[in-house]
Amino acid sequence: MAATRKVIITCAVTGAIHTPTMSPYLPITPQQIADSAVEAAEAGAGILHLHARDPETGCPTPDPAVFWDFLPQIKSRTDAIINITTGGGHNMTVEQRLVGPTKAQPEMTSLNMGSMNFGLYPALNKFSNWQHPWEPQYLENTRDGIFKNTFRDIETILQTLGKGCGTKFEFECYDIGHLYTLAHFLERGLVQPPLFVQTIFGILGGIGCDVENLVHMRRIADKLFGDDYHWSILAAGRHQTNFVTTGAIMGGNIRVGLEDNLYLAKGELAQSNAAQVQKIRRILSELSLDVATPAEVRQMLALKGKDDVAF
Ligand code: KMH
Ligand code: ZN
């Protein structure tokens, strides 16, 4: 490993997994999302992964008007790379999920590498007194819902966003099979290196948070992609810090943020996304690992540039 390697920190600011009742610090309104994203960038996040929420209810929304209430101001207030979800939320069709990102033509979007069960319903046992009626229903629906990302869906996204807009991807891989699906698209020439492979641990329906899995995902990604990829790690909930730390030691890049984990430490809610970024920066610093600036991230991932977007 080169001594000069820089670690890319992605911050996933709000997501579509957690609901407003779970934390008063979850960014909901466009202004909250923008402020929280900018603070995370100032703390050292090179990539900002963004979802939109209905400002009144906090429910994940695909509405481009809501995206437009925060995208331009984040762009003007920071150099960090804007990465828009194509996963959207569990209340959306694939077509709805793609409206905002297709209109925005960002430097990056997420791209989920397979259909899966995505179980959020166990959270129903942890909370009561829901702030909004949609919250328990949304979580309950995941018991029988499929997070749809078929080969055709993936092809569509690669064609419209990748080929059509020059957007690069955070390839979200929730299990070993997703790595092989990505290798299939690489073989077909539909994706181009350098790949940014986000390996995801601890989603119910995906691979679990055992360190053996971290090693195995890394080993298979190395085998399939060799020097053609940058590896990143995220882990859900309380596994966040230990997994991203282990991953960084193993040569990976990392993702933190309230999309993935609402806590800063055991029993302590994170009051901001920046707090999680600052915490992992402290750990990286103790490990003598440097953090990649947005300019360095753009170079590492061969991104098209901040101004070549449609917002
Ligand atoms: N909770 C799902 C919608 C993405 O951003 O692409 C997964 C997700 C992935 O949020
Ligand atoms: Zn997301």
Side-chain angles (χ1 to χ4, degrees):
M1 192 190 315
T4 53
R5 96 170 167 101
K6 299 282 177 82
V7 178
I8 300 172
I9 301 179
T10 299
C11 182
V13 173
T14 187
I17 289 177
H18 298 120
T19 71
T21 298
M22 298 176 186
S23 170
Y25 306 113
L26 188 67
I28 301 292
T29 67
Q31 197 56 52
Q32 288 169 345
I33 290 171
D35 290 342
S36 198
V38 170
E39 286 168 21
E42 285 167 357
I47 301 176
L48 301 166
H49 170 84
L50 300 166
H51 292 238
R53 291 180 182 267
D54 180 305
E56 301 299 324
T57 66
C59 187
T61 176
D63 185 351
V66 180
F67 277 100
W68 253 254
D69 281 340
F70 59 77
L71 290 175
Q73 59 158 317
I74 296 174
K75 182 185 167 194
S76 71
R77 291 170 63 192
T78 169
D79 270 342
I81 290 102
I82 291 177
N83 163 348
I84 303 178
T85 180
T86 63
H90 299 277
N91 51 343
M92 302 173 202
T93 64
V94 176
E95 291 71 24
Q96 289 171 325
R97 285 158 40 188
L98 295 181
V99 174
T102 307
K103 192 170 176 214
Q105 305 184 13
E107 288 185 88
M108 292 188 84
T109 66
S110 59
L111 180 41
N112 295 270
M113 293 313 291
S115 300
M116 59 189 288
N117 300 333
F118 202 112
L120 304 179
Y121 62 88
L124 287 164
N125 301 323
K126 297 191 196 144
F127 299 91
S128 51
N129 300 323
W130 298 96
Q131 284 176 34
H132 307 280
W134 70 267
E135 297 176 72
Q137 195 59 58
Y138 181 86
L139 301 171
E140 176 59 33
N141 287 349
T142 66
R143 196 188 300 272
D144 197 32
I146 294 172
F147 182 37
K148 182 176 171 297
N149 301 286
T150 63
F151 293 109
R152 184 178 300 284
D153 295 331
I154 295 169
E155 282 171 2
T156 301
I157 293 172
L158 291 173
Q159 291 293 347
T160 55
L161 282 164
K163 200 152 180 265
C165 307
T167 297
K168 296 278 252 174
F169 301 100
E170 175 194 14
F171 292 105
E172 304 216 337
C173 297
Y174 300 78
D175 215 326
I176 293 284
H178 295 174
L179 298 175
Y180 286 89
T181 299
L182 179 54
H184 161 81
F185 285 107
L186 182 64
E187 201 173 289
R188 287 175 55 195
L190 290 181
V191 301
Q192 283 78 38
L195 308 176
F196 186 55
V197 179
Q198 190 68 262
T199 52
I200 299 172
F201 300 86
I203 296 295
L204 180 60
I207 204 164
C209 286
D210 288 294
V211 81
E212 291 90 335
N213 292 337
L214 187 63
V215 173
H216 192 44
M217 287 286 264
R218 169 70 195 269
R219 188 184 298 138
I220 299 301
D222 273 350
K223 187 169 168 177
L224 294 173
F225 310 122
D227 292 334
D228 283 347
Y229 85 111
H230 293 277
W231 180 43
S232 186
I233 301 101
L234 80 85
R238 66 191 167 85
H239 299 280
Q240 182 181 67
T241 304
N242 57 330
F243 256 62
V244 299
T245 302
T246 310
I249 292 168
M250 290 168 64
N253 303 284
I254 61 167
R255 179 170 123 170
V256 293
L258 300 189
E259 170 165 349
D260 305 335
N261 175 29
L262 291 173
Y263 288 82
L264 190 62
K266 192 173 179 186
E268 183 191 347
L269 286 168
Q271 297 197 14
S272 67
N273 279 285
Q276 286 187 354
V277 176
Q278 284 154 358
K279 176 176 175 177
I280 197 61
R281 274 205 81 159
R282 286 196 297 275
I283 293 170
L284 293 176
S285 162
E286 291 294 335
L287 297 169
S288 300
L289 289 170
D290 291 331
V291 173
T293 64
E296 288 166 338
V297 177
R298 288 190 169 90
Q299 196 177 27
M300 289 164 76
L301 302 184
L303 303 181
K304 63 181 178 175
K306 182 178 173 178
D307 294 322
D308 197 5
V309 298
F311 54 88

